[in-house]
Amino acid sequence: MGSGVTPAGTGPALLRLEEVVKHFPIRRGIVFRREVGRVRAVDGVSLEVHQGETLGLVGETGCGKSTLARCMTRLYDLTSGRVVFDGHDISRLPQRQLRRLRTDLQMIFQDPYSSLNPRRRVGSIIGDPLAIHGVADGAERQRRVQELMVQVGLNPEHYNRFPAEFSGGQRQRIGIARALALHPRLVVCDEPVSALDVSIQAQILNLLADLQERLGLTYVFIAHDLSVVRHVSTRIAVMYLGKIVEVATAGDLFARPRHPYTCALLSAIPVPDPDLADRRSRVLLAGDVPSPVDPPAGCRFHPRCPKARERCRLEEPRLERRNGDPEGHVTACHYPVGPDEDLARAAGARGDGIGDAVGTGGQHGDR
Amino acid sequence: MSAALLQVRDLRVTFSTPDGPLQAVRGVDFDLPAGTVMGVVGESGSGKSVTMLTVLGLTQGAQVSGQALFEGRDLLAMSAAEQRKVRGARIAMVFQDPLSSLHPHYRVGWQIAEMIRAHEPVSRAEARRRAVELLAMVGIPQPQRRIDDYPHQFSGGMRQRVMIAMALALRPRLLIADEPTTALDVTVQSQILDLLRRLQAELGMAVIIVTHDLGVIAEMAHEVLVMYAGQVVERAPRRAIYYRPHHPYTRGLLESLPARTGLPGTLPAPGRAGSAQRQRLRPIAGQPPSLIRVPPGCPFHPRCPFVMDVCRREPPRLRPVDVNGSHESACWLPPEAVGLGAEADARRRAAAGSGRIQPAEAGWGAA
């Protein structure tokens, strides 16, 4: 399975996910907590992250991208499947050994306001990993922390300040410094710039790029803003309802998207270019994302897909290389979109005006 | 030239805070012709939302001065009772978060009908009939049935449709939409923008869209206001803002976006083969200013790469930078210093000229 996903000419896999599943049980009852259902947040994901690359992970709210990120870093225990980091299976590691893993695998979170303890000084927040892992103490720790602060563009004299004294962008720098304290090899960034204004967002993206170059980091970069993901990623994986539907290099994915969902997603990005915006045709999708408690049978995208046929309702498509695609470009679709195909027209032909199109998805959205 | 539907003159809004008066809006002027779409763009704290809330009479505990003439009457000088008559009926609004704008305890149909009955003497049955019509108009499937659902039974996109239905219930002349799609996923966002565009054309109302997303504005607006530190720094027709920006802040905003090219239907971004040739973004240095201690002169001067001595002393006023006066900018650079790219920047740099001192220390926040 891995061979189909590895494009030629990139580094070896630093992190490999094999059929990763994460379900959250829904329980009812007070004394006897019966399980009445499961949120299938991540439902069988196989993916590789190569040494030195940035793997972008995109998808809409509830597609499971953040859950997948937390499975990768073992912040969640898996329901089933394996996570292999640098050749070692880490999916069943006990807590104590997991701690050692943390030096290699770090995470940056979306909200720079809630991911920093407001009552602690910045120096001690950034120094935490050093203290926990017994790497450095006292004056040495302060020196290391101030080094980190310089590295991420913070004034080292602000060592004793509280998070509240920093702006959103600076707080994100604090989060980045903390993640880098132990010289990790893989950093999972979960929406690291979503809470920031455009001008500040660009500063942070540049910082992440510089750090990657300087420290040889590997990133998994999660964001819902596709233009940001395109900018930072070597390869991009598109998620829909707990599954990966397409993986390709960033250039390839944007130039020749094959999955109808990817096409719709790309066509929905608002472009800051009026002439282009007027010219572009959109693939308007029917309705909302169905509930992951009870995902549709067959291809999970079929109720909203302008190309759906009988087979899509019955048989789940495999994530594999499709006709004419370069190696490493894999798509989970029975009827991938061709190079000259106009999906917007297909959507129109199916009679999907806003009104009835919404009907299909609405039933799922009601849950 | 037809009279403006809404004329705002020298609007100033100040909140008192423990740290001193915070000048959220510092002298905003604009005219909105009937039936047109105006986009207001700016980062957090630029005063874009406060301006609109004040026009609606919804800023509490603030000192407000200036005029907001709507159909010839000053909204700011009206009594609360008169304001209530205008608000909802003649001017409607849609906010970012549809869940907190709808009452969770009442059925949506009741909420729409109640709103109609608050303004017009119609029977319950008639109001309900109109509510069903409105839900159908905004593309909610099976409106007869959905009218008796509670807000939590709708998805985010559907709730925003309900909000739009409610806003349009009384056929307003002006719709103010404050970040109407920010909380939504891109595919849902494109549905909602599409709906707004269609309804605007059908009903011929004027629309003000407030957003931080330059992509949304590019698709929707006829005219664009760019706000910074409580002031309008640039005003221009849509294409001029995107292709011939004058103000260095507008230029900075556009240049810090990761995606100006490379989306489907455009040329691929130059040299974008992999992360090795990743282009650096060009962020605006520094942070937005404090509105309690606004910098003297031009509020953008501490972050401006083209700062001149005059910028530090005297605040520039909006003045025309094209022949017919439809494009205005509050910047001391000469009118011909418009555009994006190296050539335009060279013009700006030359204009900034010999009397120029090095840009102010941008601080540690600068990447």
Side-chain angles (χ1 to χ4, degrees):
Chain A
M1 133 207 0
S3 60
V5 184
T6 314
T10 49
L14 180 62
L15 183 80
R16 195 166 74 239
L17 308 179
E18 296 173 4
E19 286 300 318
V20 169
V21 173
K22 178 66 188 172
H23 290 175
F24 295 96
I26 306 168
R27 296 186 201 280
R28 291 271 159 73
I30 297 161
V31 181
F32 301 105
R33 306 272 295 153
R34 286 176 299 122
E35 187 179 312
V36 295
R38 292 173 147 224
V39 177
R40 299 163 180 274
V42 174
D43 212 11
V45 165
S46 299
L47 198 61
E48 286 185 351
V49 185
H50 306 297
Q51 177 73 47
E53 76 168 348
T54 299
L55 176 76
L57 197 55
V58 299
E60 295 179 282
T61 314
C63 73
K65 54 190 193 301
S66 289
T67 305
L68 186 62
R70 284 166 171 72
C71 290
M72 286 179 193
T73 46
R74 274 296 308 278
L75 291 178
Y76 285 154
D77 288 328
L78 308 187
T79 304
S80 68
R82 291 204 327 152
V83 178
V84 180
F85 181 76
D86 199 20
H88 305 286
D89 183 355
I90 61 167
S91 37
R92 304 277 175 271
L93 280 188
Q95 278 302 321
R96 194 162 348 127
Q97 291 175 32
L98 207 52
R99 183 176 278 186
R100 220 176 307 145
L101 175 73
R102 293 269 174 260
T103 60
D104 281 336
L105 250 174
Q106 285 285 330
M107 205 160 165
I108 298 169
F109 298 94
Q110 169 172 5
D111 185 353
Y113 294 85
S114 64
S115 57
L116 301 176
N117 185 338
R119 289 163 182 261
R120 297 188 51 206
R121 294 176 194 278
V122 164
S124 87
I125 292 177
I126 300 175
D128 252 355
L130 300 172
I132 291 170
H133 291 267
V135 177
D137 281 318
E140 167 66 7
R141 191 191 303 162
Q142 173 162 359
R143 192 187 60 76
R144 291 276 292 272
V145 167
Q146 290 186 326
E147 245 175 54
L148 284 162
M149 291 177 77
V150 172
Q151 199 164 41
V152 299
L154 289 166
N155 185 342
E157 286 163 20
H158 296 166
Y159 182 83
N160 276 324
R161 294 199 177 177
F162 290 99
E165 296 171 72
F166 293 87
S167 67
Q170 287 173 319
R171 285 181 210 211
Q172 201 53 290
R173 289 172 194 268
I174 297 170
I176 294 171
R178 178 174 59 182
L180 295 181
L182 297 169
H183 306 297
R185 297 167 66 195
L186 177 71
V187 180
V188 177
C189 314
D190 188 0
E191 304 268 10
V193 295
S194 308
L196 308 175
D197 277 319
V198 216
S199 67
I200 308 299
Q201 180 176 309
Q203 295 176 3
I204 298 295
L205 292 176
N206 278 349
L207 172 67
L208 288 171
D210 292 345
L211 291 170
Q212 179 168 42
E213 202 163 300
R214 213 179 314 148
L215 308 174
L217 295 171
T218 304
Y219 289 137
V220 172
F221 194 100
I222 300 177
H224 66 273
D225 184 335
L226 287 145
S227 50
V228 168
V229 173
R230 171 177 152 271
H231 179 79
V232 302
S233 302
T234 323
R235 292 188 306 140
I236 298 177
V238 184
M239 262 188 105
Y240 186 76
L241 266 186
K243 294 263 187 195
I244 304 276
V245 296
E246 188 163 5
V247 185
T249 62
D252 209 27
L253 189 86
F254 274 80
R256 298 198 313 142
R258 300 300 307 272
H259 199 284
Y261 177 66
T262 312
C263 296
L265 209 54
L266 299 187
S267 84
I269 310 174
V271 281
D273 184 332
D275 289 348
L276 180 57
D278 289 349
R279 249 194 345 261
R280 221 156 55 118
S281 64
R282 294 167 165 284
V283 184
L284 276 186
L285 277 189
D288 300 310
V289 183
S291 157
V293 175
D294 185 17
C299 170
R300 296 184 171 200
F301 185 58
H302 86 254
R304 304 175 74 194
C305 182
K307 293 187 76 179
R309 297 188 220 167
E310 194 54 30
R311 184 177 172 199
C312 308
R313 275 175 258 279
L314 304 170
E315 188 190 331
E316 191 175 326
R318 290 166 53 89
L319 182 64
E320 57 191 20
R321 192 170 153 197
R322 303 284 162 177
N323 249 351
D325 285 339
E327 196 167 328
H329 189 161
V330 289
T331 312
C333 180
H334 294 305
Y335 305 105
V337 179
D340 298 317
E341 194 174 335
D342 187 353
L343 205 60
R345 195 167 304 143
R350 197 185 152 191
D352 287 355
I354 293 181
D356 59 341
V358 163
T360 356
Q363 295 151 8
H364 297 285
D366 293 353
R367 277 173 218 285
Chain B
M1 199 169 140
S2 65
L5 178 67
L6 177 68
Q7 279 182 308
V8 172
R9 289 288 172 270
D10 198 28
L11 183 69
R12 287 169 194 275
V13 184
T14 307
F15 296 94
S16 59
T17 72
D19 298 329
L22 184 148
Q23 306 162 50
V25 180
R26 306 185 305 126
V28 163
D29 295 82
F30 66 85
D31 283 9
L32 176 71
T36 59
V37 180
M38 188 172 83
V40 181
V41 67
E43 299 182 277
S44 353
S46 62
K48 56 193 194 301
S49 292
V50 176
T51 301
M52 296 310 146
L53 289 174
T54 306
V55 165
L56 292 164
L58 294 176
T59 29
Q60 286 176 344
Q63 290 160 270
V64 177
S65 70
Q67 277 189 322
L69 297 172
F70 177 74
E71 297 178 320
R73 297 168 65 209
D74 188 357
L75 294 167
L76 304 180
M78 283 181 185
S79 69
E82 281 177 304
Q83 266 186 359
R84 269 199 300 277
K85 265 186 215 157
V86 175
R87 198 165 56 211
R90 310 292 296 160
I91 306 179
M93 56 243 142
V94 174
F95 295 107
Q96 173 172 351
D97 182 1
L99 190 56
S100 59
S101 320
L102 286 165
H103 198 296
H105 194 72
Y106 297 100
R107 299 173 194 277
V108 298
W110 186 90
Q111 295 189 48
I112 299 176
E114 186 65 10
M115 139 110 195
I116 297 172
R117 279 162 55 80
H119 288 277
E120 288 178 23
V122 295
S123 70
R124 249 174 242 282
E126 167 67 11
R128 185 182 160 89
R129 193 189 58 71
R130 276 171 58 182
V132 172
E133 260 177 37
L134 287 161
L135 291 180
M137 179 176 79
V138 296
I140 289 184
Q142 303 168 302
Q144 299 278 7
R145 185 171 72 75
R146 297 308 302 265
I147 191 168
D148 290 322
D149 282 348
Y150 291 97
H152 74 265
Q153 292 171 293
F154 290 82
S155 66
M158 286 294 154
R159 262 181 232 135
Q160 198 57 291
R161 286 176 196 264
V162 171
M163 286 310 298
I164 293 171
M166 193 183 283
L168 301 183
L170 300 164
R171 295 291 154 111
R173 300 281 316 280
L174 169 61
L175 174 69
I176 297 180
D178 189 354
E179 303 272 8
T181 58
T182 305
L184 307 174
D185 280 314
V186 277
T187 58
V188 181
Q189 165 170 287
S190 73
Q191 294 169 0
I192 296 292
L193 293 180
D194 213 56
L195 174 70
L196 278 175
R197 239 189 326 255
R198 180 168 64 82
L199 293 173
Q200 191 272 331
E202 267 171 32
L203 307 177
M205 62 190 168
V207 175
I208 298 178
I209 287 207
V210 178
T211 176
H212 68 282
D213 190 331
L214 286 154
V216 168
I217 299 259
E219 302 199 349
M220 301 288 297
H222 299 128
E223 184 174 53
V224 182
L225 298 186
V226 180
M227 287 191 69
Y228 187 79
Q231 290 174 330
V232 176
V233 294
E234 187 155 11
R235 175 188 78 83
R238 181 177 69 145
R239 295 189 75 253
I241 282 285
Y242 287 87
Y243 302 131
R244 293 186 304 282
H246 182 268
H247 201 284
Y249 175 65
T250 314
R251 164 203 168 270
L253 268 188
L254 288 167
E255 298 217 319
S256 56
L257 291 175
R260 286 283 286 176
T261 53
L263 290 169
T266 63
L267 297 168
R272 189 63 193 78
S275 60
Q277 293 113 320
R278 179 184 305 171
Q279 290 170 287
R280 280 185 71 78
L281 297 172
R282 278 162 296 175
I284 304 175
Q287 312 283 339
S290 151
L291 294 171
I292 295 171
R293 279 173 296 275
V294 184
C298 169
F300 187 60
H301 89 251
R303 304 176 75 187
C304 183
F306 310 104
V307 61
M308 301 176 283
D309 287 346
V310 60
C311 307
R312 298 176 217 271
R313 290 191 316 266
E314 284 176 59
R317 297 179 57 86
L318 269 182
R319 60 201 173 101
V321 293
D322 66 352
V323 279
N324 60 17
S326 65
H327 186 171
E328 291 182 317
S329 168
C331 176
W332 289 115
L333 289 172
E336 63 274 13
V338 295
L340 288 169
E343 219 173 287
D345 283 354
R347 259 199 312 275
R348 286 194 180 93
R349 209 162 286 121
S354 53
R356 183 169 155 240
I357 301 172
Q358 279 306 301
E361 185 60 54
W364 289 91

